């Protein structure tokens, strides 16, 4: 008995007598070379039966992602907010908006939909809202990606959220000091001078500026 190859677009089980068996037609989302059935690769889909080559799988359309193998219907896999999906995207997180930008649009197809983060907020990579309020002790200009990028200047502090520039930080009062928040913890409140010391000046940034009390 001479065994011959199954026709492309089909899979022949052991003992098959037909090169195009009725139960061997390559199923949706796959391609079949006559020997094995293989799912369409990630980033592609297949909505027709009887396909025989990897190239018979179609590229996932822009605005969607096809997490293969074996995707048949991509319509429910719309690109999420904070991301964009060009043609042949395989995963929903493949193309996040860069840090400092955001996108509230679903089904985005390119990076042009990512817009600068508004001032007073910061937007990490892949942000799908208008950002997160700038933390206390810092300020966030437009397009900020990390909330700790810009600390209140040395000699100032702030307990408020959502500052947009350093001028909103409050000058350190007398009897206290306010260290540089970019190097230490964020300065959200003035630090009292230690017992036995005093400071008659505002906007002081160092503990060393606290002077020893005079004798008597």
């Amino acid at each position: 008995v001479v065994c011959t190859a199954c026709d492309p677009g089909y899979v022949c089980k052991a003992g098959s007598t037909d090169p195009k068996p009725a139960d061997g037609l390559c199923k949706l989302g796959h391609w079949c070379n006559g020997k094995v059935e293989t799912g369409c690769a990630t980033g592609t889909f297949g909505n027709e039966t009887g396909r025989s080559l990897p190239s018979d799988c179609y590229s996932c359309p822009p605005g969607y992602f096809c997490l293969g193998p074996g995707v048949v219907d991509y319509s429910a896999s719309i690109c999420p907010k904070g991301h964009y999906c060009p043609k042949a995207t395989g995963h929903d997180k493949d193309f996040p908006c860069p840090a400092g930008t955001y996108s509230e649009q679903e089904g985005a197809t390119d990076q042009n939909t990512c817009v600068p983060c508004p001032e007073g907020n910061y937007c990490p990579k892949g942000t799908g809202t208008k950002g997160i309020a700038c933390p206390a002790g810092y300020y966030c200009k437009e397009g900020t990606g990390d909330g700790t990028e810009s600390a209140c200047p040395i000699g100032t502090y702030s307990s408020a959220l959502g500052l947009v520039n350093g001028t909103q930080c409050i000058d350190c009062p007398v009897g206290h000091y306010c260290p540089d928040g970019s190097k230490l913890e964020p300065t959200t409140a003035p630090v009292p001078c230690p017992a036995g010391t005093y400071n008659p000046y505002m906007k002081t940034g160092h503990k060393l500026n606290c002077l020893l009390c005079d004798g008597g």
Side-chain angles (χ1 to χ4, degrees):
V1 177
V2 178
C3 296
T4 57
C6 191
D7 281 3
Y10 292 82
V11 173
C12 293
K13 300 177 181 178
S16 180
T17 59
D18 185 349
K20 296 181 179 181
D23 61 349
L25 184 65
C26 199
K27 64 184 180 183
L28 295 172
H30 294 71
W31 59 275
C32 303
N33 62 2
K35 298 180 181 179
V36 294
E37 189 170 61
T38 305
C40 287
T42 290
T44 67
F45 71 100
N47 58 0
E48 298 174 350
T49 58
R51 312 314 290 171
S52 60
L53 296 170
S55 57
D56 290 333
C57 299
Y58 301 107
S59 294
C60 204
Y64 296 85
F65 64 96
C66 295
L67 181 57
V71 172
V72 177
D73 182 7
Y74 59 83
S75 60
S77 300
I78 190 167
C79 201
K81 296 178 180 180
H83 298 75
Y84 58 98
C85 297
K87 181 180 179 181
T89 295
H91 300 267
D92 59 345
K93 300 295 195 303
D94 276 351
F95 300 96
C97 286
T101 68
Y102 75 99
S103 175
E104 294 182 307
Q105 178 179 330
E106 289 186 329
T109 60
D110 59 62
Q111 191 174 320
N112 291 332
T113 57
C114 303
V115 296
C117 198
E119 61 179 8
N121 291 347
Y122 68 97
C123 298
K125 181 174 66 174
T127 296
T129 65
K130 291 183 178 179
I132 306 165
C134 203
Y138 298 94
Y139 61 94
C140 296
K141 299 173 289 186
E142 183 182 72
T144 296
D146 182 345
T148 62
E149 283 180 15
S150 303
C152 281
I154 186 169
T156 68
Y157 73 98
S158 177
S159 59
L161 303 177
L163 298 190
V164 301
N165 59 61
T167 62
Q168 293 178 297
C169 299
I170 304 170
D171 289 347
C172 210
V174 295
H176 298 74
Y177 65 97
C178 297
D180 183 357
S182 64
K183 298 177 181 178
L184 304 172
E185 293 297 319
T187 306
T188 58
V191 183
C193 283
T197 67
Y198 72 101
N199 175 25
Y201 304 107
M202 294 185 66
K203 209 171 182 179
T204 294
H206 300 282
K207 183 179 180 179
L208 294 176
N209 293 123
C210 296
L211 308 174
L212 289 174
C213 282
D214 294 339

